[in-house]
Amino acid sequence: MNYFEMLIAAIFVNNIILAQYLGCCPFVGCSKDRGVAIGMGAAVTFVASMATAFTWLMQKYVLNPFGLGYLQTLVFILVIASLVQFVEMFLKKMVPPLYKSLGIFLPLITTNCAVLGLAILAQRNEFGLGVSVFYAFSAALGFTLALFLMAGIRERLVISRVPKSMQGTSIGLVMAGLMSLTFFAFQGMIG
Amino acid sequence: MITSSILVMFGLGLACAVVLSVASKLLAVEEDPRVEAVLDALPGANCGGCGFAGCESYAAAAVRDPDVPADRCCAGGPDVAAKIAELTGKAAGSAEPMVAFRRCAKSEGNVAKRYDYQGVPSCAAAKLLGSPDACSYSCIGLGDCMRACPFDAMYMAHGMVHVITEKCTACGTCVSTCPNHVMQIVPQAARVMVLCSSLDKGKAVSEVCEVGCISCMKCVKECPAKCIALEGGKIHIDHTACLAYGSSCQEVCAEKCPRGILRCLGAAAAARVQEAEAAA
């Protein structure tokens, strides 16, 4: 599979939120404002790419040689959580502007299921290191796209007439379902 | 199998813990206590009028950056500027007092309604359907700016917003909130101002409003100080140059305005009223 196909497949066809239902909590929680959505998306892209690289190395040089594949989930969570903590401290000291824009989102995604999911999916598909990172990067772009679209819709919803019982998160969930259905139109685009 | 998995998890946990604790020592960031002190001195409204993302960003910039002046907080005024100057060791300059100004006079111009808006009472919502007024640049009058104002310096009357000069801190929140870009920040001492923000051409303006600016350029030609210009479709007055020129021009721009929409403000307006009374 070439890189371009993989990019399109990860963003549209197998969108991490709308087709694989991973990372739904930030999708509902951080989608009230387009600026916040972009910030969250950028943080997930950054962390997912790094985490996938680290967990790939972990799998290859620690888990596989000792035959400890069954510890994958536990080890990945531990590694990702520590990595995010480290990245947060590193950014705070070395790159304050980046910390300011991503900082508040980093603790939120320490054990985000989208990040963990991408690391595990990359293993399951038996990608190499470079391909894994690219896969995580493009899937996280899909996450950002879904979040941004949702935020745009919800900004409009705020000033529309919504029945009282449906206001807030409930109409948001309905929108998420409709968006998911819409994205199913991409299924079959890439075999 | 149990031993190896326990050992691996323990080892990994230990390794991560060691790395993180070393990193927290090496990468610790010292916070300057003065930032906290400056933040306490600021009003904490996070209005963004200083040009920074909020009170905290301004406090950090004022302490760390020697080029950021101590008097940027428009909400706090001279008192806060003096405090910040003392804390950061900077000179407290005297900022020109500014105020928010509504560039619309639709009630005088008898601007017709395009439709009767019945939706959510918000200018932004009404704007989605196109302005409810025949003029697309008017004060919609549903009070988005009033609700956004962090200082309660605005009120609604006669379908338009009004600014309470004493309370206004010129933070600019209303300027960025208004979907029709009706509000503008001007010096409190400004002598003249155009009460119209239409970007339309003369004919289109005169069809919908009796007093709207038709961009006839008369004021631009008459101003002896050359401080009036047509910029991006509406009249822009360079108040610094206008105030520097002084009153010797007798506000000729306001006098010559065929629509009477470029008007004298403050002291200049008071002088005119006195003159009229003396003549009578």
Side-chain angles (χ1 to χ4, degrees):
Chain A
M1 193 188 274
N2 66 36
Y3 283 92
F4 179 71
E5 247 179 49
M6 184 179 238
L7 184 76
I8 298 297
I11 293 181
F12 296 105
V13 183
N14 293 317
N15 187 294
I16 183 106
I17 296 177
L18 299 171
Q20 311 204 51
Y21 314 116
L22 287 170
C24 284
C25 26
F27 183 57
V28 176
C30 285
S31 59
K32 289 197 176 116
D33 180 278
R34 275 176 295 172
V36 175
I38 291 285
M40 186 71 188
V44 168
T45 311
F46 183 68
V47 170
S49 312
M50 283 192 69
T52 308
F54 263 76
T55 50
W56 191 90
L57 293 172
M58 213 41 141
Q59 178 85 25
K60 171 111 179 166
Y61 294 108
V62 178
L63 296 182
N64 288 349
F66 297 107
L68 293 170
Y70 57 89
L71 282 181
Q72 194 187 47
T73 310
L74 287 177
V75 169
F76 279 15
I77 288 181
L78 186 67
V79 169
I80 293 172
S82 316
L83 178 75
V84 173
Q85 288 295 315
F86 182 80
V87 166
E88 195 188 346
M89 281 191 266
F90 181 81
L91 288 185
K92 199 171 184 182
K93 177 83 174 179
M94 302 297 179
V95 208
L98 196 59
Y99 175 75
K100 253 180 219 155
S101 46
L102 299 185
I104 49 165
F105 302 110
L106 285 179
L108 288 176
I109 49 174
T110 339
T111 48
N112 183 301
C113 48
V115 177
L116 178 67
L118 286 175
I120 291 179
L121 281 174
Q123 290 301 337
R124 227 175 255 175
N125 290 330
E126 296 179 345
F127 291 145
L129 179 59
V131 183
S132 291
V133 173
F134 184 75
Y135 168 72
F137 176 77
S138 27
L141 282 188
F143 176 92
T144 312
L145 175 77
L147 209 58
F148 184 75
L149 291 177
M150 184 67 165
I153 295 174
R154 287 182 81 170
E155 277 184 12
R156 279 286 181 104
L157 277 178
V158 168
I159 45 175
S160 327
R161 283 190 190 172
V162 176
K164 205 165 189 181
S165 55
M166 293 294 285
Q167 275 169 11
T169 309
S170 21
I171 190 84
L173 288 170
V174 173
M175 287 313 307
L178 290 176
M179 281 175 73
S180 180
L181 276 177
T182 318
F183 266 67
F184 262 87
F186 290 116
Q187 294 284 344
M189 199 168 83
I190 291 172
Chain B
M1 188 166 142
I2 284 188
T3 9
S4 63
S5 49
I6 289 177
L7 278 178
V8 165
M9 285 312 286
F10 180 76
L12 261 180
L14 193 69
C16 289
V18 168
V19 168
L20 282 184
S21 59
V22 169
S24 72
K25 280 277 184 307
L26 286 181
L27 298 173
V29 180
E30 293 108 50
E31 299 283 341
D32 194 328
R34 288 181 302 166
V35 175
E36 197 69 20
V38 171
L39 188 58
D40 278 343
L42 289 168
N46 288 321
C47 63
C50 51
F52 291 89
C55 292
E56 199 173 342
S57 320
Y58 175 56
V63 169
R64 288 193 199 119
D65 191 347
D67 295 332
V68 174
D71 58 6
R72 291 289 286 280
C73 180
C74 41
D79 299 347
V80 169
K83 258 188 230 163
I84 297 176
E86 197 188 314
L87 285 164
T88 57
K90 283 176 187 162
S94 51
E96 162 109 50
M98 309 287 271
V99 69
F101 187 89
R102 185 199 68 233
R103 284 186 73 161
C104 178
K106 71 167 184 184
S107 53
E108 292 170 51
N110 292 323
V111 175
K113 286 276 175 209
R114 192 173 355 219
Y115 59 89
D116 188 18
Y117 179 70
Q118 295 277 335
V120 183
S122 151
C123 304
K127 183 74 179 171
L128 288 177
L129 308 168
S131 262
D133 292 319
C135 172
S136 318
Y137 305 93
S138 65
C139 172
I140 297 174
L142 294 168
D144 278 9
C145 52
M146 181 183 74
R147 283 182 294 276
C149 180
F151 305 102
D152 288 331
M154 307 182 105
Y155 64 94
M156 308 302 299
H158 311 296
M160 283 196 291
V161 71
H162 297 260
V163 179
I164 307 167
T165 312
E166 293 75 35
K167 283 189 181 172
C168 178
T169 62
C171 68
T173 307
C174 51
V175 178
S176 49
T177 306
C178 179
N180 275 354
H181 311 293
V182 164
M183 303 306 295
Q184 191 182 332
I185 301 294
V186 300
Q188 280 190 19
R191 294 164 59 211
V192 289
M193 195 57 209
V194 183
L195 273 81
C196 178
S197 46
S198 177
L199 299 178
D200 275 342
K201 294 270 184 323
K203 189 165 186 296
V205 174
S206 50
E207 271 168 10
V208 295
C209 180
E210 289 170 17
V211 296
C213 173
I214 51 172
S215 314
C216 67
M217 311 285 281
K218 223 164 204 167
C219 49
V220 179
K221 285 175 205 128
E222 295 288 344
C223 179
K226 300 266 169 280
C227 57
I228 307 181
L230 188 70
E231 272 176 26
K234 55 184 173 183
I235 294 292
H236 174 81
I237 301 172
D238 181 351
H239 290 288
T240 326
C242 172
L243 286 164
Y245 188 83
S247 59
S248 62
C249 66
Q250 303 277 316
E251 289 85 30
V252 66
C253 50
E255 198 140 311
K256 296 285 181 183
C257 180
R259 306 282 283 177
I261 193 72
L262 201 164
R263 293 176 189 176
C264 296
L265 305 172
R272 213 145 279 251
V273 171
Q274 269 177 7
E275 252 173 52
E277 277 170 4

